[in-house]
Amino acid sequence: MVPFLRGGSMAKIFFAFPHRFDQEHPNYRVALREACRDQKHDAVFASAVPTAGHVLQHVNECIDDCDAAFFDVTGLNPSVLIELGMAYAEGKPTFILLNQDEHVRVSKNMLGKQTVEPLEIPADLTGIVRTHYKNTFDLRQSLVRTLEQYFPSKPEVMPLAKTIIQHLKRFGPSPMAGIATGVSTDVNKVRPVVSALVATSQLKKTGIGTGTKYEAS
């Protein structure tokens, strides 16, 4: 079975975000749950503080039990960045959420005048798939699109993903067109499935441009 969907119909998706979001954006957590529900997935939060052991150990266990992890790096919250690093180090499919309008640094000068400056994304994170949003309604819609692309819940996608993996395990690295020919499917249908398999670490991508090839992990 293709690992990025449990039982062929549902993935467990871990979410981490600054604690202040629960007060500042009351519908934030609801938007994440509803986006997952729309795609037949489960949203997981490390909300409960463990009675024993380190908090990071608890978070790590939650991440480890999930199929992928999303981290809202808006404002570059240190705790969220630590948890992102943990997931990435484990090889867990990792994604970023970002509210560009709120991704700013607020400071005051000696006269008390407030200035707002946009923050940059750390260079180490630029290669991670990023979902942008402007508010909680937009968050739900944007997240649904990301989940549709990388964690498709449509039943017809599953056999094609499995066939692609089996083909590459048998014949070795192949370009996109070669995969499409090998599985007798239009390349436009193969391309998004291959992209999802790469994002979820089930396929490896080597080379650039016309020399790009894919192989089973």
Side-chain angles (χ1 to χ4, degrees):
M1 179 177 66
V2 180
F4 62 75
L5 289 181
R6 298 181 176 221
S9 61
M10 181 177 290
K12 291 179 70 175
I13 312 293
F14 176 84
F15 291 96
F17 52 89
H19 291 304
R20 62 183 176 82
F21 279 18
D22 279 325
Q23 285 72 45
E24 297 177 4
H25 306 288
N27 293 322
Y28 181 90
R29 194 181 295 252
V30 174
L32 299 179
R33 284 199 182 100
E34 291 182 346
C36 285
R37 184 194 62 192
D38 290 345
Q39 296 299 305
K40 301 182 176 68
H41 303 319
D42 276 342
V44 176
F45 309 97
S47 303
V49 178
T51 55
H54 199 283
V55 173
L56 285 180
Q57 180 181 348
H58 171 64
V59 172
N60 187 65
E61 291 171 353
C62 291
I63 294 173
D64 189 57
D65 188 49
C66 290
D67 300 289
F70 282 72
F71 299 88
D72 197 317
V73 301
T74 303
L76 300 180
N77 179 274
S79 295
V80 173
L81 294 177
I82 290 172
E83 294 168 9
L84 188 158
M86 291 165 53
Y88 192 81
E90 283 188 13
K92 186 69 63 175
T94 304
F95 300 80
I96 284 176
L97 299 172
L98 181 70
N99 184 330
Q100 195 71 53
D101 292 342
E102 293 189 13
H103 191 59
V104 297
R105 178 187 293 109
V106 180
S107 58
K108 292 184 179 181
N109 60 22
M110 295 180 63
L111 299 177
K113 183 178 179 181
Q114 182 173 287
T115 59
V116 178
E117 301 176 13
L119 283 171
E120 297 292 332
I121 292 291
D124 292 345
L125 304 182
T126 54
I128 300 178
V129 175
R130 196 183 310 170
T131 299
H132 292 264
Y133 69 95
K134 295 183 177 181
N135 50 53
T136 52
F137 176 80
D138 186 41
L139 171 62
R140 177 179 177 178
Q141 305 303 314
S142 298
L143 181 55
V144 163
R145 289 193 292 270
T146 299
L147 293 174
E148 283 180 339
Q149 180 175 357
Y150 294 103
F151 297 88
S153 56
K154 297 177 181 179
E156 64 268 21
V157 173
M158 303 308 298
L160 178 56
K162 183 177 181 179
T163 300
I164 289 171
I165 292 174
Q166 290 176 337
H167 172 78
L168 291 175
K169 284 183 176 180
R170 181 178 179 184
F171 296 101
S174 300
M176 189 71 72
I179 296 173
T181 300
V183 299
S184 302
T185 305
D186 185 89
V187 69
N188 292 321
K189 293 182 179 180
V190 167
R191 186 174 288 109
V193 178
V194 169
S195 296
L197 292 171
V198 170
T200 52
S201 304
Q202 296 175 80
L203 295 183
K204 292 188 292 186
K205 177 180 176 182
T206 58
I208 58 174
T210 56
T212 301
K213 290 187 177 181
Y214 304 85
E215 61 181 304
S217 299

